[in-house]
Coordinates of all heavy atoms in Angstrom, one line a residue:
M839 N 12.0 -1.5 4.1 CA 12.9 -0.7 3.2 C 12.6 0.8 3.3 O 13.3 1.5 2.7 CB 12.5 -1.2 1.7 CG 12.9 -2.6 1.4 SD 14.7 -2.7 1.1 CE 14.8 -4.2 0.2
G840 N 11.7 1.2 4.1 CA 11.4 2.6 4.4 C 12.6 3.2 5.0 O 12.7 4.4 5.1
D841 N 13.5 2.4 5.5 CA 14.7 2.9 6.2 C 15.7 3.5 5.2 O 16.8 4.0 5.5 CB 15.4 1.9 7.1 CG 15.8 0.6 6.3 OD1 15.5 0.5 5.1 OD2 16.4 -0.3 6.9
R842 N 15.4 3.4 3.9 CA 16.2 4.1 2.9 C 15.8 5.6 2.7 O 16.5 6.3 2.0 CB 16.0 3.5 1.5 CG 16.5 2.0 1.4 CD 16.3 1.5 0.1 NE 16.9 0.2 0.0 CZ 17.0 -0.5 -1.1 NH1 16.5 -0.1 -2.3 NH2 17.6 -1.7 -1.1
V843 N 14.8 6.0 3.4 CA 14.3 7.3 3.2 C 14.5 8.1 4.5 O 14.1 7.6 5.6 CB 12.7 7.3 2.9 CG1 12.2 8.7 2.7 CG2 12.5 6.4 1.7
R844 N 15.0 9.3 4.4 CA 15.2 10.2 5.5 C 14.0 11.1 5.5 O 13.6 11.7 4.5 CB 16.5 11.0 5.3 CG 17.0 11.8 6.5 CD 18.5 12.0 6.4 NE 18.9 12.3 5.0 CZ 19.0 13.6 4.5 NH1 18.7 14.6 5.3 NH2 19.5 13.8 3.3
V845 N 13.3 11.2 6.6 CA 12.1 12.0 6.6 C 12.2 13.4 7.4 O 13.0 13.4 8.4 CB 10.9 11.2 7.2 CG1 10.6 10.0 6.4 CG2 11.1 10.9 8.7
H846 N 11.5 14.4 6.9 CA 11.5 15.7 7.6 C 10.1 16.1 7.7 O 9.6 16.9 6.9 CB 12.3 16.7 6.7 CG 13.7 16.3 6.5 ND1 14.7 16.6 7.4 CD2 14.3 15.7 5.5 CE1 15.9 16.2 6.9 NE2 15.7 15.6 5.8
P847 N 9.4 15.6 8.7 CA 8.0 15.8 8.9 C 7.6 17.3 9.0 O 6.5 17.7 8.6 CB 7.6 15.1 10.2 CG 8.8 14.2 10.5 CD 10.0 14.7 9.8
E848 N 8.6 18.1 9.5 CA 8.3 19.5 9.7 C 8.1 20.2 8.3 O 7.5 21.3 8.3 CB 9.4 20.2 10.5 CG 10.7 20.4 9.8 CD 11.6 19.1 9.7 OE1 11.2 18.0 10.1 OE2 12.7 19.2 9.1
K849 N 8.6 19.6 7.2 CA 8.4 20.2 5.9 C 7.2 19.7 5.2 O 6.9 20.1 4.1 CB 9.7 19.9 5.1 CG 10.9 20.6 5.6 CD 12.1 20.4 4.7 CE 13.3 21.2 5.2 NZ 14.5 20.8 4.5
C850 N 6.6 18.7 5.7 CA 5.5 18.0 5.0 C 4.2 18.9 5.0 O 3.8 19.4 6.0 CB 5.2 16.6 5.7 SG 3.8 15.8 5.0
T851 N 3.6 19.0 3.8 CA 2.4 19.8 3.6 C 1.1 18.9 3.6 O 0.0 19.4 3.4 CB 2.4 20.5 2.3 OG1 2.5 19.6 1.2 CG2 3.7 21.4 2.2
M852 N 1.3 17.6 3.7 CA 0.2 16.6 3.7 C -0.5 16.6 2.3 O -1.7 16.4 2.2 CB -0.8 16.8 4.8 CG -0.2 16.6 6.2 SD -1.5 16.4 7.4 CE -1.9 14.7 7.2
C853 N 0.3 16.9 1.2 CA -0.2 16.9 -0.1 C -0.6 15.5 -0.6 O -1.4 15.3 -1.5 CB 0.7 17.5 -1.1 SG 2.2 16.5 -1.4
L854 N 0.0 14.5 0.0 CA -0.3 13.0 -0.2 C 0.2 12.6 -1.6 O -0.2 11.5 -2.0 CB -1.7 12.7 0.0 CG -2.3 12.9 1.5 CD1 -3.6 12.3 1.6 CD2 -1.3 12.4 2.5
Y855 N 1.0 13.4 -2.3 CA 1.5 12.9 -3.6 C 2.3 11.6 -3.3 O 2.2 10.7 -4.2 CB 2.5 13.9 -4.2 CG 1.9 15.0 -5.0 CD1 0.5 15.3 -4.9 CD2 2.7 15.8 -5.8 CE1 0.0 16.3 -5.6 CE2 2.1 16.8 -6.6 CZ 0.8 17.1 -6.5 OH 0.2 18.1 -7.2
C856 N 3.0 11.5 -2.2 CA 3.8 10.3 -2.0 C 2.9 9.0 -1.9 O 3.2 8.0 -2.4 CB 4.6 10.4 -0.7 SG 3.6 10.9 0.7
Q857 N 1.7 9.1 -1.2 CA 0.8 8.0 -1.1 C 0.2 7.7 -2.5 O 0.0 6.5 -2.8 CB -0.3 8.3 -0.1 CG 0.3 8.3 1.3 CD -0.8 8.3 2.4 OE1 -0.6 8.7 3.5 NE2 -2.0 7.9 2.1
L858 N -0.1 8.7 -3.3 CA -0.6 8.5 -4.6 C 0.4 7.8 -5.5 O 0.0 6.8 -6.1 CB -1.0 9.8 -5.3 CG -2.3 10.5 -4.8 CD1 -2.3 12.0 -5.2 CD2 -3.5 9.7 -5.3
V859 N 1.6 8.2 -5.6 CA 2.6 7.6 -6.5 C 3.0 6.2 -6.0 O 3.3 5.3 -6.8 CB 3.8 8.5 -6.8 CG1 3.4 9.8 -7.4 CG2 4.6 8.7 -5.5
C860 N 3.0 6.0 -4.7 CA 3.4 4.7 -4.2 C 2.3 3.7 -4.6 O 2.7 2.6 -5.1 CB 3.5 4.7 -2.7 SG 4.0 3.1 -2.0
S861 N 1.1 4.0 -4.5 CA 0.0 3.1 -4.9 C 0.0 2.9 -6.4 O -0.2 1.8 -6.9 CB -1.4 3.6 -4.4 OG -1.7 4.8 -5.0
L862 N 0.3 4.0 -7.1 CA 0.3 3.8 -8.6 C 1.4 2.9 -9.0 O 1.2 2.0 -9.8 CB 0.5 5.2 -9.3 CG 0.5 5.2 -10.8 CD1 -0.9 4.7 -11.3 CD2 0.8 6.6 -11.3
K863 N 2.6 3.1 -8.5 CA 3.8 2.3 -8.9 C 3.6 0.8 -8.5 O 3.9 -0.1 -9.2 CB 5.0 2.9 -8.2 CG 6.2 2.0 -8.5 CD 7.5 2.7 -8.5 CE 8.6 1.7 -8.8 NZ 9.6 2.3 -9.7
N864 N 3.0 0.6 -7.3 CA 3.0 -0.8 -6.8 C 1.7 -1.5 -7.1 O 1.7 -2.8 -7.2 CB 3.2 -0.8 -5.3 CG 4.6 -0.4 -4.9 OD1 5.5 -1.2 -5.2 ND2 4.8 0.8 -4.4
Y865 N 0.6 -0.8 -7.4 CA -0.7 -1.5 -7.8 C -1.2 -1.1 -9.1 O -2.2 -1.7 -9.6 CB -1.7 -1.2 -6.7 CG -1.3 -1.7 -5.3 CD1 -0.8 -0.9 -4.4 CD2 -1.6 -3.1 -5.0 CE1 -0.4 -1.4 -3.1 CE2 -1.2 -3.6 -3.8 CZ -0.7 -2.7 -2.8 OH -0.3 -3.2 -1.6
G866 N -0.7 0.0 -9.7 CA -1.2 0.4 -11.0 C -2.4 1.3 -11.0 O -2.9 1.6 -12.0
F867 N -2.8 1.7 -9.8 CA -3.9 2.7 -9.7 C -3.7 3.5 -8.5 O -3.0 3.2 -7.5 CB -5.2 2.0 -9.7 CG -5.4 0.9 -8.7 CD1 -5.7 1.2 -7.4 CD2 -5.1 -0.4 -9.1 CE1 -5.8 0.1 -6.4 CE2 -5.2 -1.5 -8.1 CZ -5.6 -1.2 -6.8
F868 N -4.4 4.7 -8.5 CA -4.3 5.6 -7.3 C -5.1 5.1 -6.2 O -6.4 5.0 -6.3 CB -4.7 7.0 -7.7 CG -3.8 7.7 -8.6 CD1 -4.2 8.2 -9.8 CD2 -2.4 7.9 -8.3 CE1 -3.4 8.9 -10.7 CE2 -1.6 8.6 -9.1 CZ -2.0 9.1 -10.3
S869 N -4.5 4.8 -5.1 CA -5.3 4.4 -3.9 C -4.4 4.7 -2.6 O -3.7 3.8 -2.1 CB -5.7 2.9 -3.9 OG -6.4 2.6 -2.7
P870 N -4.4 6.0 -2.2 CA -3.6 6.4 -1.1 C -3.6 5.4 0.1 O -2.6 5.1 0.7 CB -4.1 7.8 -0.7 CG -4.6 8.3 -2.0 CD -5.2 7.1 -2.7
P871 N -4.8 4.9 0.5 CA -4.8 4.0 1.7 C -3.9 2.7 1.5 O -3.5 2.1 2.4 CB -6.3 3.6 1.8 CG -7.0 4.6 1.1 CD -6.1 5.1 0.0
K872 N -3.7 2.3 0.2 CA -2.9 1.1 -0.1 C -1.4 1.4 -0.1 O -0.6 0.5 -0.1 CB -3.2 0.6 -1.5 CG -4.5 -0.3 -1.5 CD -4.7 -0.9 -2.8 CE -5.7 -2.0 -2.8 NZ -5.4 -3.2 -2.1
A873 N -1.0 2.7 0.0 CA 0.4 3.1 -0.1 C 1.2 2.5 1.1 O 0.6 2.3 2.2 CB 0.5 4.6 -0.1
M874 N 2.5 2.3 0.8 CA 3.4 1.8 1.8 C 4.0 2.9 2.7 O 4.8 2.6 3.5 CB 4.4 0.9 1.2 CG 3.8 -0.3 0.6 SD 4.5 -0.8 -0.9 CE 3.3 -1.8 -1.7
I875 N 3.6 4.1 2.3 CA 4.0 5.3 3.1 C 2.7 5.9 3.6 O 1.7 5.9 2.9 CB 4.8 6.3 2.4 CG1 5.2 7.5 3.2 CG2 4.1 6.8 1.1 CD1 6.3 8.4 2.6
K876 N 2.7 6.3 4.9 CA 1.4 6.8 5.4 C 1.7 8.1 6.1 O 2.6 8.2 7.0 CB 0.8 5.8 6.4 CG -0.5 6.3 6.9 CD -1.1 5.3 7.9 CE -2.3 5.9 8.5 NZ -2.5 5.4 9.9
I877 N 1.0 9.2 5.7 CA 1.1 10.5 6.4 C -0.1 10.7 7.3 O -1.2 10.5 6.8 CB 1.1 11.6 5.3 CG1 2.1 11.3 4.1 CG2 1.4 13.0 5.9 CD1 3.5 11.2 4.5
S878 N 0.2 11.1 8.5 CA -0.9 11.3 9.4 C -0.6 12.5 10.3 O 0.5 13.0 10.4 CB -1.2 10.1 10.3 OG -0.1 9.8 11.0
R879 N -1.6 13.1 10.9 CA -1.4 14.2 11.7 C -2.0 13.9 13.1 O -3.2 13.4 13.2 CB -2.1 15.5 11.1 CG -1.9 16.7 12.0 CD -2.9 17.8 11.6 NE -2.6 18.4 10.4 CZ -1.8 19.5 10.2 NH1 -1.2 20.0 11.3 NH2 -1.6 20.0 9.0
L880 N -1.3 14.2 14.1 CA -1.8 14.1 15.5 C -1.6 15.5 16.2 O -0.4 15.8 16.4 CB -1.1 13.0 16.2 CG -1.7 12.6 17.6 CD1 -3.1 12.0 17.3 CD2 -0.8 11.6 18.2
G881 N -2.6 16.3 16.3 CA -2.4 17.6 16.8 C -1.7 18.4 15.8 O -2.0 18.4 14.6
N882 N -0.6 19.0 16.2 CA 0.3 19.8 15.3 C 1.4 19.0 14.7 O 2.2 19.5 13.9 CB 0.9 21.0 16.0 CG -0.2 22.1 16.3 OD1 -1.2 22.2 15.6 ND2 0.0 22.8 17.4
E883 N 1.5 17.7 15.1 CA 2.6 16.9 14.7 C 2.2 16.1 13.4 O 1.1 15.4 13.4 CB 3.0 15.9 15.8 CG 3.5 16.5 17.0 CD 5.0 16.8 16.9 OE1 5.7 15.9 16.5 OE2 5.4 18.0 17.2
I884 N 3.0 16.1 12.4 CA 2.8 15.3 11.3 C 3.7 14.1 11.4 O 4.9 14.2 11.8 CB 3.1 16.0 10.0 CG1 2.0 17.1 9.8 CG2 3.2 15.1 8.8 CD1 2.2 17.9 8.5
N885 N 3.2 12.9 11.1 CA 3.9 11.7 11.2 C 4.1 11.0 9.9 O 3.1 10.9 9.1 CB 3.1 10.7 12.2 CG 4.0 9.7 12.8 OD1 5.2 9.8 12.9 ND2 3.4 8.5 13.1
I886 N 5.3 10.6 9.5 CA 5.5 9.9 8.3 C 6.0 8.5 8.6 O 7.0 8.3 9.3 CB 6.6 10.6 7.4 CG1 6.1 12.1 7.2 CG2 6.9 9.9 6.1 CD1 7.2 12.9 6.4
E887 N 5.2 7.5 8.2 CA 5.6 6.1 8.5 C 5.6 5.2 7.3 O 4.9 5.5 6.3 CB 4.5 5.5 9.4 CG 4.3 6.1 10.8 CD 3.1 5.6 11.4 OE1 2.0 6.0 11.0 OE2 3.2 4.7 12.3
F888 N 6.4 4.2 7.3 CA 6.5 3.2 6.2 C 6.0 1.9 6.7 O 6.4 1.5 7.8 CB 7.9 3.1 5.7 CG 8.4 4.4 5.1 CD1 9.0 5.4 5.9 CD2 8.3 4.7 3.7 CE1 9.5 6.6 5.4 CE2 8.7 5.9 3.2 CZ 9.3 6.8 4.0
S889 N 5.2 1.2 5.9 CA 4.8 -0.2 6.3 C 6.0 -1.1 6.0 O 6.9 -0.8 5.2 CB 3.6 -0.6 5.5 OG 3.9 -1.1 4.2
S890 N 5.8 -2.3 6.5 CA 6.9 -3.4 6.3 C 6.9 -3.8 4.8 O 7.8 -4.5 4.4 CB 6.6 -4.6 7.2 OG 5.3 -5.1 6.9
K891 N 5.8 -3.5 4.1 CA 5.8 -3.9 2.6 C 6.6 -2.9 1.7 O 6.7 -3.2 0.5 CB 4.4 -3.9 2.2 CG 3.5 -5.0 2.8 CD 2.1 -5.0 2.2 CE 1.3 -6.1 2.8 NZ -0.1 -5.8 2.4
C892 N 7.0 -1.8 2.3 CA 7.8 -0.8 1.5 C 9.0 -1.5 0.8 O 9.7 -2.2 1.4 CB 8.3 0.3 2.3 SG 9.5 1.4 1.5
K893 N 9.0 -1.2 -0.6 CA 10.1 -1.9 -1.4 C 11.3 -1.1 -1.5 O 12.3 -1.5 -2.2 CB 9.5 -2.2 -2.7 CG 8.4 -3.2 -2.6 CD 7.6 -3.4 -3.9 CE 6.5 -4.4 -3.8 NZ 5.6 -4.4 -4.9
G894 N 11.3 0.1 -1.0 CA 12.5 1.0 -1.0 C 12.8 1.5 -2.4 O 14.0 1.8 -2.8
C895 N 11.8 1.6 -3.3 CA 12.0 2.0 -4.7 C 12.3 3.5 -4.8 O 12.8 4.0 -5.8 CB 10.7 1.7 -5.5 SG 9.3 2.6 -5.0
L896 N 12.0 4.2 -3.8 CA 12.3 5.7 -3.7 C 11.4 6.5 -4.6 O 11.7 7.7 -4.8 CB 13.7 6.0 -3.9 CG 14.7 5.2 -3.0 CD1 16.1 5.7 -3.2 CD2 14.3 5.3 -1.5
E897 N 10.4 6.0 -5.2 CA 9.5 6.7 -6.1 C 8.8 7.9 -5.3 O 8.6 9.0 -5.8 CB 8.4 5.8 -6.7 CG 7.5 6.5 -7.7 CD 8.3 6.7 -9.1 OE1 9.4 6.1 -9.2 OE2 7.7 7.3 -9.9
C898 N 8.5 7.6 -4.1 CA 7.8 8.7 -3.3 C 8.7 9.9 -3.1 O 8.2 11.1 -3.1 CB 7.4 8.1 -1.9 SG 8.8 7.3 -1.0
I899 N 10.0 9.7 -3.0 CA 10.9 10.8 -2.9 C 10.9 11.7 -4.1 O 10.9 13.0 -4.0 CB 12.4 10.3 -2.7 CG1 12.5 9.7 -1.3 CG2 13.4 11.5 -2.8 CD1 13.8 9.1 -1.0
K900 N 10.8 11.1 -5.3 CA 10.8 11.9 -6.5 C 9.6 12.9 -6.6 O 9.7 13.9 -7.3 CB 10.7 11.0 -7.8 CG 12.0 10.2 -8.0 CD 11.8 9.5 -9.4 CE 12.5 8.1 -9.4 NZ 12.0 7.2 -10.4
W901 N 8.6 12.5 -6.0 CA 7.3 13.3 -6.1 C 7.0 14.1 -4.9 O 5.9 14.7 -4.8 CB 6.2 12.4 -6.4 CG 6.3 11.8 -7.8 CD1 7.0 10.7 -8.2 CD2 5.9 12.4 -9.0 NE1 7.0 10.5 -9.5 CE2 6.3 11.6 -10.1 CE3 5.1 13.6 -9.3 CZ2 6.0 11.9 -11.4 CZ3 4.9 13.8 -10.7 CH2 5.3 13.0 -11.7
C902 N 8.0 14.2 -3.9 CA 7.8 15.1 -2.8 C 8.5 16.4 -3.1 O 9.7 16.4 -3.1 CB 8.4 14.4 -1.5 SG 8.2 15.5 -0.1
F903 N 7.7 17.4 -3.4 CA 8.3 18.7 -3.9 C 8.6 19.6 -2.7 O 9.0 20.8 -2.9 CB 7.3 19.4 -4.8 CG 7.0 18.5 -6.0 CD1 5.7 18.1 -6.3 CD2 8.0 18.2 -6.9 CE1 5.4 17.3 -7.4 CE2 7.8 17.4 -8.0 CZ 6.5 16.9 -8.3
Y904 N 8.4 19.1 -1.5 CA 8.6 20.0 -0.3 C 9.8 19.7 0.6 O 10.0 20.3 1.6 CB 7.3 20.0 0.5 CG 6.1 20.5 -0.3 CD1 5.3 19.5 -0.9 CD2 5.9 21.8 -0.5 CE1 4.2 19.9 -1.7 CE2 4.8 22.2 -1.3 CZ 4.0 21.3 -1.9 OH 3.0 21.7 -2.7
G905 N 10.6 18.7 0.1 CA 11.8 18.3 0.9 C 11.5 17.5 2.1 O 12.4 17.4 3.0
A906 N 10.3 16.9 2.2 CA 10.0 16.1 3.4 C 10.5 14.7 3.3 O 10.6 14.0 4.3 CB 8.5 16.1 3.7
L907 N 10.9 14.3 2.1 CA 11.5 12.9 1.9 C 12.8 13.1 1.1 O 12.8 13.7 0.1 CB 10.5 12.1 1.1 CG 9.1 11.9 1.6 CD1 8.2 11.1 0.6 CD2 9.1 11.2 3.0
K908 N 13.8 12.5 1.7 CA 15.1 12.5 1.0 C 15.7 11.1 1.1 O 15.5 10.4 2.1 CB 16.0 13.5 1.7 CG 15.6 15.0 1.6 CD 15.9 15.6 0.3 CE 15.5 17.0 0.2 NZ 15.7 17.6 -1.1
P909 N 16.6 10.8 0.1 CA 17.2 9.5 0.2 C 18.3 9.5 1.3 O 19.0 10.5 1.5 CB 17.9 9.3 -1.2 CG 18.0 10.6 -1.7 CD 16.9 11.5 -1.1
K910 N 18.4 8.4 2.0 CA 19.5 8.3 3.0 C 20.8 8.2 2.2 O 20.8 7.7 1.0 CB 19.3 7.2 3.9 CG 18.4 7.5 5.0 CD 18.4 6.5 6.1 CE 17.4 6.8 7.2 NZ 17.1 5.7 8.1
K911 N 21.9 8.5 2.8 CA 23.2 8.4 2.2 C 23.4 7.0 1.6 O 23.1 6.0 2.3 CB 24.3 8.7 3.2 CG 25.5 9.3 2.6 CD 26.5 9.8 3.7 CE 27.8 10.2 3.0 NZ 28.8 10.4 3.9
G912 N 23.8 6.9 0.4 CA 24.0 5.6 -0.2 C 22.9 5.1 -1.0 O 23.0 4.1 -1.7
F913 N 21.7 5.8 -0.9 CA 20.5 5.4 -1.6 C 20.0 6.4 -2.6 O 18.9 6.4 -3.1 CB 19.4 5.0 -0.7 CG 19.7 3.8 0.2 CD1 19.9 3.9 1.5 CD2 19.8 2.5 -0.4 CE1 20.2 2.8 2.3 CE2 20.2 1.4 0.4 CZ 20.4 1.6 1.7
A914 N 20.9 7.4 -2.9 CA 20.4 8.5 -3.8 C 20.3 8.0 -5.2 O 20.9 7.1 -5.6 CB 21.4 9.7 -3.7
Ligands
SF4_633 S1 4.7 14.1 -0.9 FE1 6.1 15.0 0.7 S2 5.0 16.9 1.4 FE2 3.5 15.6 0.3 S3 2.5 14.3 1.9 FE3 4.2 13.1 1.1 S4 5.9 13.6 2.5 FE4 4.4 15.2 2.8
SF4_634 S1 10.0 3.7 -1.3 FE1 8.6 3.0 -2.9 S2 7.4 1.3 -1.9 FE2 8.4 2.5 -0.3 S3 6.8 4.1 0.3 FE3 8.2 5.0 -1.2 S4 7.1 4.6 -3.2 FE4 6.3 3.2 -1.7

Protein backbone atom coordinates (compact mmCIF):
# COMPACT_ATOMS: atom_id res chain seq x y z
CA MET A 1 0.00 0.00 0.00
CA GLY A 2 3.07 2.26 0.12
CA ASP A 3 2.38 2.77 -3.56
CA ARG A 4 -0.22 5.34 -2.50
CA VAL A 5 2.59 7.65 -1.45
CA ARG A 6 4.75 9.71 -3.79
CA VAL A 7 8.18 10.20 -2.27
CA HIS A 8 10.63 13.07 -2.65
CA PRO A 9 13.76 11.86 -0.86
CA GLU A 10 15.67 15.02 -1.79
CA LYS A 11 13.37 16.95 0.59
CA CYS A 12 13.64 14.51 3.49
CA THR A 13 15.36 15.83 6.62
CA MET A 14 15.39 12.42 8.37
CA CYS A 15 13.28 13.85 11.20
CA LEU A 16 11.61 10.40 11.45
CA TYR A 17 8.20 11.83 12.33
CA CYS A 18 6.78 9.48 9.69
CA GLN A 19 8.21 6.42 11.46
CA LEU A 20 6.98 7.69 14.82
CA VAL A 21 3.40 8.32 13.71
CA CYS A 22 3.20 5.09 11.71
CA SER A 23 4.15 3.04 14.77
CA LEU A 24 1.80 5.05 16.99
CA LYS A 25 -1.14 4.63 14.64
CA ASN A 26 -0.58 0.93 14.00
CA TYR A 27 0.71 -0.30 17.38
CA GLY A 28 -0.38 2.39 19.84
CA PHE A 29 3.13 3.37 20.88
CA PHE A 30 6.20 5.10 19.47
CA SER A 31 8.64 2.59 18.00
CA PRO A 32 10.27 3.82 14.79
CA PRO A 33 11.82 0.40 13.99
CA LYS A 34 8.29 -1.09 13.85
CA ALA A 35 7.11 1.48 11.32
CA MET A 36 6.02 0.39 7.87
CA ILE A 37 7.96 3.26 6.38
CA LYS A 38 11.71 3.26 6.71
CA ILE A 39 14.07 6.18 6.18
CA SER A 40 17.73 5.40 5.67
CA ARG A 41 20.81 7.10 4.36
CA LEU A 42 23.49 5.63 2.15
CA GLY A 43 26.23 8.19 1.61
CA ASN A 44 24.48 11.36 0.48
CA GLU A 45 21.41 9.50 -0.72
CA ILE A 46 18.29 9.26 1.44
CA ASN A 47 16.10 6.27 0.80
CA ILE A 48 12.38 6.06 1.63
CA GLU A 49 10.92 2.56 1.60
CA PHE A 50 7.61 0.99 2.60
CA SER A 51 7.24 -2.52 3.94
CA SER A 52 4.66 -4.92 2.54
CA LYS A 53 2.68 -4.38 5.78
CA CYS A 54 1.95 -0.73 4.93
CA LYS A 55 -1.81 -0.19 5.14
CA GLY A 56 -1.90 2.90 2.97
CA CYS A 57 -3.53 4.97 5.72
CA LEU A 58 -1.48 8.02 4.69
CA GLU A 59 -0.94 9.12 8.32
CA CYS A 60 2.78 9.49 7.61
CA ILE A 61 2.01 12.11 4.94
CA LYS A 62 0.09 14.29 7.40
CA TRP A 63 3.12 14.54 9.65
CA CYS A 64 5.80 15.11 7.03
CA PHE A 65 6.28 18.86 7.21
CA TYR A 66 9.02 18.97 4.57
CA GLY A 67 7.16 17.82 1.49
CA ALA A 68 9.01 14.52 1.20
CA LEU A 69 5.76 12.50 1.29
CA LYS A 70 2.74 13.33 -0.83
CA PRO A 71 -0.36 11.35 -1.77
CA LYS A 72 -0.42 9.96 -5.27
CA LYS A 73 -3.19 11.20 -7.50
CA GLY A 74 -6.48 9.67 -6.41
CA PHE A 75 -5.35 9.08 -2.81
CA ALA A 76 -5.40 12.65 -1.48
S1 LIG B 1 8.55 12.86 8.09
FE1 LIG B 1 9.17 13.45 5.99
S2 LIG B 1 11.08 14.63 6.28
FE2 LIG B 1 10.72 13.48 8.18
S3 LIG B 1 11.86 11.55 7.91
FE3 LIG B 1 9.76 11.16 7.22
S4 LIG B 1 9.83 11.54 5.00
FE4 LIG B 1 11.65 12.48 5.88
S1 LIG C 1 0.67 4.85 4.89
FE1 LIG C 1 0.10 4.38 7.04
S2 LIG C 1 0.81 2.27 7.34
FE2 LIG C 1 1.83 3.04 5.49
S3 LIG C 1 3.80 3.84 6.19
FE3 LIG C 1 2.34 5.57 6.16
S4 LIG C 1 1.50 5.65 8.27
FE4 LIG C 1 2.47 3.65 7.99
